[in-house]
Amino acid sequence: MTTASAPRTLYRKLWDSHVIEVVPGAQGEGEESRAALIHVDRHLLHECSTHQSFEALRSNGRSVHRRETHLAVPDHAVSTALDRLSIAQDDGAAGAQVARLASNVAEFDIPYVPLDDARQGIVHVMGPELGFTLPGITLACGDSHTSTHGAFGALAFGIGASDCETVLATNAIVQSRAKTVKVELSGTLGAHVTSKDVALALIGRYGAGFATGCAVEFTGEAVRAMSMAARMTLCNMAIEAGARIGLVAPDETTIDYLRGRPLAPQGEMFEQAAAYWRTLASDPGAEYDRTVALDLDALAPQITWGTNPQDAAPVDGTVPAAPEDAEAARQHAKALAYMGIEAGMPVTDIAVDVVFIGSCTNGRIEDLRAAAAVARGRKVAEGVRALVVPGSMAVRAQAEAEGLDTIFTEAGFDWRMAGCSMCVAMNEDRLAEGERSASTSNRNFEGRQGRGGRTHLMSPAMAAAAAVTGHIADVRTLEEIVA
Amino acid sequence: MKPFESLTSPVLLLRENRIDTDIIYPARFLLIMQREGLGQYFCADRRVDPEGNAIANPIDEAKERGAGILIAGREFGCGSSREQAVWTIKDFGITCVIAESFGEIFQANCLRNGVLPIVFDPATLEELAAFGKDGELSVDLVARTITAGEKVIDFEISDNARERLLKGWDETGMIQSRWGTAISTFEEGQRAAQPWLYEPLAI
Ligand code: SF4
């Protein structure tokens, strides 16, 4: 056993404080078991991964253990059209799924933010915005990008529909303690280089599986200097490195962000909570299973050229040549064929058909501001379809208060309602076969944005630069960007 | 859940790295709300062209041979948390997936559905794949072995995962009966230490 005095990582502290009971004998003899029943403090639900969970509750005659630990919202399949409320009922399968969520949460008395609510948004944008996400908690959701909430110093992880049922009925889950990876970020980010570029560069350098199953903690002065939005982008992308969990230790930036949020503790209780949150950091000398490093001083904006997030290249670079390893070379050729591009071409020669700015990775107000700064006074290039989909209706309202919607619409962007949209292509927002996008989302997998669609991942400012030039472009070389 | 003890079966070979959940179960089918009968959508875009015509492919061939074991590459099932990725595999007829590594949530979802995930190093995987081309493999979870012809290979699986598969129990019910009191005790302690987590949600 770890003694109280041994230095512990933030992950270990959070893990230890949620172990209800160690499940014995899960490792070799004599070794400490890594498996445990852990408490799940909070649970987010959306319309597309929970109907089977509620069905299981119902068929087993089970009730919800503590209703006030759950919060549900429709986001994945909802329309982002401006008139979506009038079309929602006729919207076939997606409409039926939202209706099912509404009836399920009514039956089990789960707190619910409906589609017509001013707070509706993508689970991973809305949860933090409302203060539902807090430091020091465990938070689960039937969605892999739940790692996003780790930006607050929470143990946040994605689960399947069966586990959602277990969490609804028990607020507990059997899990094994993850290995830990420390990411040391040194140096400072240059102008127009963002945490999205950091995430892509890390995965590009160390591989999309470098943190499989692990808890990744992001550390360094650069992280301390990041806004909560930037930290959320970083933790969001941790899953693309295979991680179960992304983590940033809470600090005054975290506490300031949460103060006054409607579902966060209020008044005296908030200060009491903040005092606890300030203790949540890795101890000096705490040991990680692995440490990786990245220097940010010379980091250029990144784009992906292939069908795996590790296929990252700097915007001033070229599509790489085939690697030497035979298997890797085969995958490289396959990715290039799918993407319809050639090795050696400058990435800025890649023309795009569609630009998507949004998602739980980059759909926050800071992201829209960065994109608007590029779009201001410019026009979307001829033949390019460009969408801006705010991560939540609150982000949308804030953007409108700042006049960003006018900047976007005057430039020829389509200004839409909140939802997952073209990140997952479950609604009408999708790529046609062979269409190519510049996208601020997180996955460039084959078919992710529509069957046969080709996705290039990048930051919001870079996506806006692609929109106004019609091809992948280095945002740093565009003149007159007024942030 | 049906317990898993052993299986002797032909093999479906999908020897590629990173067969992600969008390949295994494309997102557009997530609009389907049942969990039964999803096997027809397993790797749908590799079996049917955009016009809906069947394409010749190893997946349907393996189905005809009655494959119950799948051998993949690295990071099988990476990507999303959709449990449909396991339901589709299971409904397709596969109850054991052997790979170099797995997407974490996919692997956890396997255990919830009576599908045995086994991890091997690339060399052993290659050996099993070579044998599985036209031979049957036998998987024995009780003994933790795979038999390929004359050869018997041990595999590793945690006691916890093994027990869950062998017993095929209903996890929620098991947690409630085994740990119901422990959960209440934990929550009393947490309420005292972090009372803000027990305030009613102002929603
Ligand atoms: S925006 Fe994309 S990644 Fe995020 S929750 Fe929605 S579908 Fe998942």
Side-chain angles (χ1 to χ4, degrees):
Chain A
M1 283 294 286
T2 313
T3 59
S5 58
R8 290 184 298 167
T9 59
L10 171 58
Y11 173 71
R12 188 62 199 259
K13 289 182 186 183
L14 294 169
W15 172 266
D16 287 349
S17 67
H18 287 90
V19 169
I20 298 168
E21 202 169 296
V22 172
V23 178
Q27 288 282 296
E29 270 180 62
E31 202 180 324
E32 182 199 357
S33 172
R34 292 183 85 96
L37 182 75
I38 62 165
H39 193 262
V40 178
D41 302 340
R42 298 229 153 149
H43 178 211
L44 284 160
L45 301 91
H46 60 82
E47 80 278 26
C48 108
S49 66
T50 52
H51 22 271
Q52 299 89 351
S53 323
F54 285 110
E55 196 45 50
L57 279 182
R58 211 174 281 125
S59 63
N60 290 305
R62 290 182 182 129
S63 54
V64 169
H65 178 58
R66 274 174 58 213
R67 66 170 292 277
E68 71 280 11
T69 59
H70 312 279
L71 181 60
V73 66
D75 60 359
H76 275 63
V78 301
S79 166
T80 60
L82 297 183
D83 59 349
R84 65 178 177 181
L85 294 178
S86 57
I87 62 171
Q89 301 89 305
D90 315 326
D91 193 6
Q97 217 167 44
V98 175
R100 180 78 69 86
L101 178 67
S103 67
N104 280 332
V105 295
E107 181 182 342
F108 289 94
D109 195 24
I110 300 287
Y112 182 50
V113 175
L115 189 58
D116 61 359
D117 194 296
R119 299 166 296 184
Q120 182 268 342
I122 304 170
V123 271
H124 311 311
V125 177
M126 188 197 73
E129 235 164 43
L130 292 179
F132 183 76
T133 306
L134 297 173
I137 63 170
T138 41
L139 184 151
C141 174
D143 188 281
S144 59
H145 291 94
T146 308
S147 61
T148 310
H149 307 261
F152 289 80
L155 275 198
F157 46 84
I159 55 178
S162 297
D163 281 338
C164 287
E165 188 244 356
T166 302
V167 169
L168 283 162
T170 68
N171 280 92
I173 193 175
V174 175
Q175 199 173 74
S176 75
R177 179 160 49 82
K179 296 211 160 148
T180 50
V181 178
K182 182 185 197 181
V183 174
E184 288 177 344
L185 301 176
S186 58
T188 39
L189 290 171
H192 309 298
V193 189
T194 68
S195 65
K196 177 65 161 289
D197 303 302
V198 175
L200 291 174
L202 271 170
I203 299 167
R205 157 112 48 116
Y206 294 104
F210 90 84
T212 295
C214 295
V216 176
E217 183 179 350
F218 298 96
T219 68
E221 275 312 305
V223 180
R224 298 270 71 93
M226 282 179 190
S227 68
M228 287 314 297
R231 295 178 190 183
M232 283 190 256
T233 304
L234 208 50
C235 290
N236 174 279
M237 293 292 291
I239 180 81
E240 305 312 325
R244 181 196 300 169
I245 279 167
L247 273 178
V248 174
D251 57 12
E252 295 312 308
T253 302
T254 322
I255 291 167
D256 290 344
Y257 176 98
L258 288 168
R259 193 174 275 115
R261 301 263 164 191
L263 303 185
Q266 307 291 324
E268 195 37 49
M269 191 82 96
F270 183 85
E271 299 313 323
Q272 193 189 337
Y276 168 62
W277 298 340
R278 289 190 182 96
T279 68
L280 298 172
S282 291
D283 296 326
E287 281 181 29
Y288 295 79
D289 293 291
R290 185 178 176 197
T291 298
V292 302
L294 189 72
D295 182 39
L296 307 186
D297 279 335
L299 188 69
Q302 305 283 307
I303 60 100
T304 62
W305 52 265
T307 54
N308 173 337
Q310 77 184 15
D311 299 337
V315 67
D316 46 13
T318 54
V319 177
E324 275 179 24
D325 175 75
E327 169 60 18
R330 209 181 56 76
Q331 301 237 351
H332 177 265
K334 186 164 165 277
L336 291 190
Y338 181 85
M339 295 299 289
I341 54 173
E342 279 160 28
M345 71 190 283
V347 300
T348 48
D349 282 357
I350 300 174
V352 301
D353 307 302
V354 175
V355 172
F356 170 63
I357 297 172
S359 88
C360 61
T361 312
N362 282 126
R364 297 185 179 78
I365 188 67
E366 292 83 348
D367 301 313
L368 301 198
R369 285 180 193 139
V374 176
R376 190 190 309 258
R378 294 193 166 88
K379 289 275 181 238
V380 170
E382 189 77 22
V384 173
R385 178 161 61 104
L387 288 75
V388 185
V389 183
S392 71
M393 291 306 283
V395 169
R396 184 179 151 95
Q398 176 66 30
E400 291 184 345
E402 296 178 18
L404 305 187
D405 58 322
T406 315
I407 296 173
F408 285 125
T409 47
E410 280 179 358
F413 286 82
D414 195 0
W415 176 243
R416 302 185 72 88
M417 306 291 261
C420 293
S421 180
M422 205 185 277
C423 174
V424 66
M426 283 185 67
N427 65 4
E428 69 280 12
D429 309 335
R430 66 181 64 198
L431 297 179
E433 184 93 25
E435 262 189 330
R436 184 185 303 285
S437 78
S439 177
T440 67
S441 55
N442 43 49
R443 287 195 175 134
N444 53 353
F445 299 174
E446 279 183 28
R448 171 74 179 186
Q449 296 192 294
R451 183 172 181 157
R454 296 158 167 165
T455 303
H456 297 279
L457 302 176
M458 60 194 76
S459 72
M462 285 283 292
V468 298
T469 60
H471 54 84
I472 293 178
D474 189 342
V475 62
R476 299 171 303 178
T477 63
L478 296 185
E479 283 162 25
E480 281 185 69
I481 295 169
V482 195
Chain B
M1 190 181 89
K2 234 176 111 201
F4 183 106
E5 280 190 6
S6 62
L7 171 70
T8 298
S9 153
V11 180
L12 163 58
L13 294 177
L14 282 179
R15 297 283 290 134
E16 273 170 59
N17 294 332
R18 291 185 63 85
I19 297 198
D20 59 61
T21 50
D22 280 272
I23 297 176
I24 298 171
Y25 193 84
R28 60 184 185 278
F29 300 119
L30 294 174
L31 290 170
I32 300 164
M33 287 193 269
Q34 312 82 284
R35 52 179 290 175
E36 284 78 37
L38 302 185
Q40 56 186 304
Y41 308 113
F42 174 50
C43 292
D45 293 346
R46 297 188 171 195
R47 297 163 67 195
V48 182
D49 73 13
E51 282 73 49
N53 308 310
I55 317 168
N57 69 85
I59 298 164
D60 284 300
E61 280 164 30
K63 173 127 189 110
E64 278 176 23
R65 285 186 284 121
I69 297 172
L70 165 61
I71 299 185
R74 194 169 356 106
E75 295 165 60
F76 185 80
C78 65
S80 102
S81 63
R82 63 190 69 155
E83 199 160 316
Q84 283 86 350
V86 177
W87 298 335
T88 190
I89 282 177
K90 188 149 190 205
D91 187 64
F92 183 84
I94 288 178
T95 49
C96 173
V97 187
I98 307 174
E100 200 182 321
S101 61
F102 287 98
E104 228 230 333
I105 306 172
F106 176 86
Q107 193 169 4
N109 284 337
C110 283
L111 300 180
R112 292 294 310 244
N113 288 281
V115 173
L116 168 63
I118 301 178
V119 174
F120 273 121
D121 59 277
T124 313
L125 210 55
E126 196 46 55
E127 205 178 330
L128 289 174
F131 187 85
K133 245 191 192 109
D134 19 56
E136 293 198 342
L137 293 178
S138 289
V139 181
D140 184 343
L141 181 57
V142 181
R144 300 186 215 224
T145 57
I146 295 191
T147 309
E150 304 283 282
K151 194 156 182 181
V152 181
I153 305 168
D154 294 331
F155 66 85
E156 284 179 31
I157 182 167
S158 76
D159 289 349
N160 173 47
R162 177 170 170 269
E163 196 180 336
R164 287 160 80 184
L165 286 168
L166 284 177
K167 300 218 166 114
W169 55 36
D170 157 39
E171 182 129 337
T172 305
M174 193 269 296
I175 289 175
Q176 283 178 328
S177 61
R178 182 165 165 193
W179 285 303
T181 317
I183 292 171
S184 303
T185 310
F186 177 91
E187 289 183 338
E188 277 164 35
Q190 191 183 50
R191 183 197 290 263
Q194 299 177 55
W196 57 89
L197 296 181
Y198 290 77
E199 296 278 288
L201 271 195
I203 195 101

